[in-house]
Amino acid sequence: MFEVFESTESEVRSYCRKYPVEFSKAKNAEIFSVEGERYIDFLAVAGSMNYGHNNPEIKAKIVEYLSEDHIINALDMYTQAKEEFLQTFKEKILEPRNMNYKVMCCGPTGTNAIEAALKLVRKNTGRSGVIAFSGAFHGMTMGSLSMTTDRTSREGACVPLGHVTFAPYDGTLDSIAYLKWILEDDHSGVDKPAAIFLETVQAEGGINVASVEWLREIRRICTENDILMVCDDIQVGNGRTGTFFSFERADIQPDMIILSKSISGFGMPMALLLMRPELDIFRPAEHNGTFRGNQLSFVGGTAGINYFVDHHLDDEVKRKEKIVARYIEEEILPLDSRLSYRGMGLMWGIDFGKINPAFALEAVHEGFDRHIIMEVAGRKDGVLKLMPPLTIEDEVLKEGLAIVKASIEAVLKKA
């Protein structure tokens, strides 16, 4: 059945090894195989389908655009689709939050926007080094990979990855004290960095949630030391944590913000770098890309923002957050006292680290046999990651959680 994939496609493929089914259709939080088998989606295509598969309101706008022979790719030329997206983003996302950022349309992937941010923080400060955090995942191109910490990803580079100093993330050692020591001790051996890059919730790192106090302290340290604060909101932005930007809970504003994945509203390639206006010092074409003008992404992005606002998706996520947290606490944690969990919004992790990290991947396989799609994250892939579309219906969410419980039970019984 998979002959053409196995004989023709590269060995680098990964997700298909966890989910060995040929998929055909999808609707909201459900995916269907070519045979018509239904699977509940607790992965949301790595967070790129926050508004659900084939969201009818967003899809209608894209179909309408396509039906009228509008331009599809336009590099960075002026277009009506881009104008509408920028205006909508400004009026419905930035201005209500008293944010003033310039918007850079990067290449189609989040890692491209990270690369642009790395260039720009260095260009603005004249410094080459940056600080990132253990547990970080910022992408797989060379600059982004230099700030990504998992060993397997880094080994793929096959060259030294430098110009980055790693600090412990919130909850690991005394992160703030370590940062202060790096910056204040003239014998720390670390040059003053151009920027601090962070995720407010480390997704691939194991669903590590930074505290409000820690985020505010990072902002203060950056301000006092003339260091740029860059927030990677690629996976945890676009409403995933219950607010459009994941850092809103801390009442801070980074100097730069990276958005991708669900910013296109429909799972199409799109990446943005937001920056304070005075940081916008690139010369024309100093960072570019052929597909930074994907018009369908602009159309979907506009529709996605309207959907987020019109359907009060932030409030919906906070409501569903309680459903998930309560279920984990009351139904899953009692299965074994060594289990722990963490998360917020609709991003949760169940940690098997104190039992056996390998059980997390076994739970993914057990879950797939029961028709749910999940992923692992964290140290030794020991965290079972739950990340359904934000639009998932309550009954489907609860059905999925019940399957998660059954899968974990099956793994624990085998042990």
Side-chain angles (χ1 to χ4, degrees), residues 127-168:
R127 306 175 213 133
S128 60
V130 298
I131 290 176
F133 294 96
S134 297
F137 183 92
H138 293 291
M140 299 292 278
T141 50
M142 298 304 276
S144 304
L145 190 57
S146 70
M147 300 190 295
T148 294
T149 59
D150 75 275
R151 189 168 296 153
T152 300
S153 295
R154 292 178 68 86
E155 285 175 351
C158 299
V159 296
L161 299 169
H163 302 292
V164 179
T165 298
F166 289 102

Side-chain angles (χ1 to χ4, degrees), residues 113-277:
I114 293 284
E115 298 287 352
L118 278 167
K119 289 180 182 179
L120 201 53
V121 298
R122 289 164 172 157
K123 188 176 178 68
N124 269 278
T125 64
R127 306 175 213 133
S128 60
V130 298
I131 290 176
F133 294 96
S134 297
F137 183 92
H138 293 291
M140 299 292 278
T141 50
M142 298 304 276
S144 304
L145 190 57
S146 70
M147 300 190 295
T148 294
T149 59
D150 75 275
R151 189 168 296 153
T152 300
S153 295
R154 292 178 68 86
E155 285 175 351
C158 299
V159 296
L161 299 169
H163 302 292
V164 179
T165 298
F166 289 102
Y169 194 70
D170 188 24
T172 307
L173 306 177
D174 192 336
S175 178
I176 295 300
Y178 183 74
L179 280 174
K180 290 179 178 178
W181 172 76
I182 285 176
L183 297 171
E184 296 172 4
D185 191 329
D186 62 357
H187 281 62
S188 71
V190 178
D191 294 333
K192 184 175 181 178
I196 295 178
F197 281 72
L198 62 85
E199 305 153 276
T200 68
V201 181
Q202 290 185 330
E204 304 307 314
I207 321 301
N208 305 313
V209 181
S211 67
V212 165
E213 294 75 19
W214 188 81
L215 293 172
R216 289 174 178 168
E217 190 67 10
I218 296 294
R219 176 66 276 182
R220 188 189 65 77
I221 288 172
C222 287
T223 301
E224 290 182 355
N225 291 277
D226 189 29
I227 297 168
L228 298 175
M229 179 182 182
V230 185
C231 181
D232 179 343
D233 242 14
I234 292 170
Q235 189 165 161
V236 298
N238 295 286
R240 176 58 59 181
T241 63
T243 52
F244 189 86
F245 297 107
S246 69
F247 53 80
E248 291 182 53
R249 59 194 168 95
D251 193 29
I252 60 172
Q253 292 192 13
D255 299 297
M256 296 184 189
I257 306 162
I258 294 102
L259 292 172
S260 188
K261 292 193 184 286
S262 283
I263 189 60
S264 74
F266 207 67
M268 291 179 296
M270 187 178 189
L272 304 177
L273 170 60
L274 314 185
M275 69 205 84
R276 290 192 288 109

Side-chain angles (χ1 to χ4, degrees), residues 83-97:
E83 180 182 23
E84 291 178 356
F85 171 78
L86 291 173
Q87 197 65 35
T88 302
F89 188 72
K90 180 179 179 181
E91 293 178 356
K92 295 192 174 183
I93 299 299
L94 296 180
E95 290 180 349
R97 293 165 176 79

Side-chain angles (χ1 to χ4, degrees), residues 15 28 54 62 64 66 101 131 152 155 157 183-184 188 213 225 242 247 262 265 287 298 335 342 359 377 383 394:
Y15 286 105
N28 201 15
N54 285 299
I62 292 172
E64 178 185 0
L66 279 170
Y101 291 98
I131 290 176
T152 300
E155 285 175 351
L183 297 171
E184 296 172 4
S188 71
E213 294 75 19
N225 291 277
F247 53 80
S262 283
H287 186 90
F298 290 131
L335 297 176
R342 51 189 176 268
F359 286 1
V383 178
D394 284 11

Side-chain angles (χ1 to χ4, degrees), residues 7-24:
S7 65
T8 308
E9 192 178 5
S10 166
E11 290 299 318
V12 79
R13 62 191 187 279
S14 62
Y15 286 105
C16 59
R17 301 180 191 275
K18 292 189 181 82
Y19 323 118
V21 164
E22 189 170 348
F23 293 104
S24 175

Side-chain angles (χ1 to χ4, degrees), residues 283-349:
R283 293 170 297 181
E286 198 168 9
H287 186 90
N288 58 38
T290 302
F291 296 104
R292 66 195 185 279
N294 185 329
Q295 303 302 297
L296 293 183
S297 295
F298 290 131
V299 173
T302 300
I305 291 169
N306 287 328
Y307 187 93
F308 180 89
V309 173
D310 294 346
H311 291 267
H312 305 285
L313 206 55
D314 48 355
D315 293 332
E316 270 293 285
V317 171
K318 291 171 185 172
R319 183 183 66 80
K320 292 172 184 175
E321 172 186 71
K322 296 177 182 177
I323 294 174
V324 178
R326 186 181 304 115
Y327 190 92
I328 294 175
E329 291 169 357
E330 296 178 358
E331 299 291 335
I332 294 178
L333 294 188
L335 297 176
D336 192 300
S337 61
R338 295 169 292 176
L339 288 171
S340 61
Y341 82 113
R342 51 189 176 268
M344 65 184 304
L346 280 178
M347 172 177 278
W348 294 88

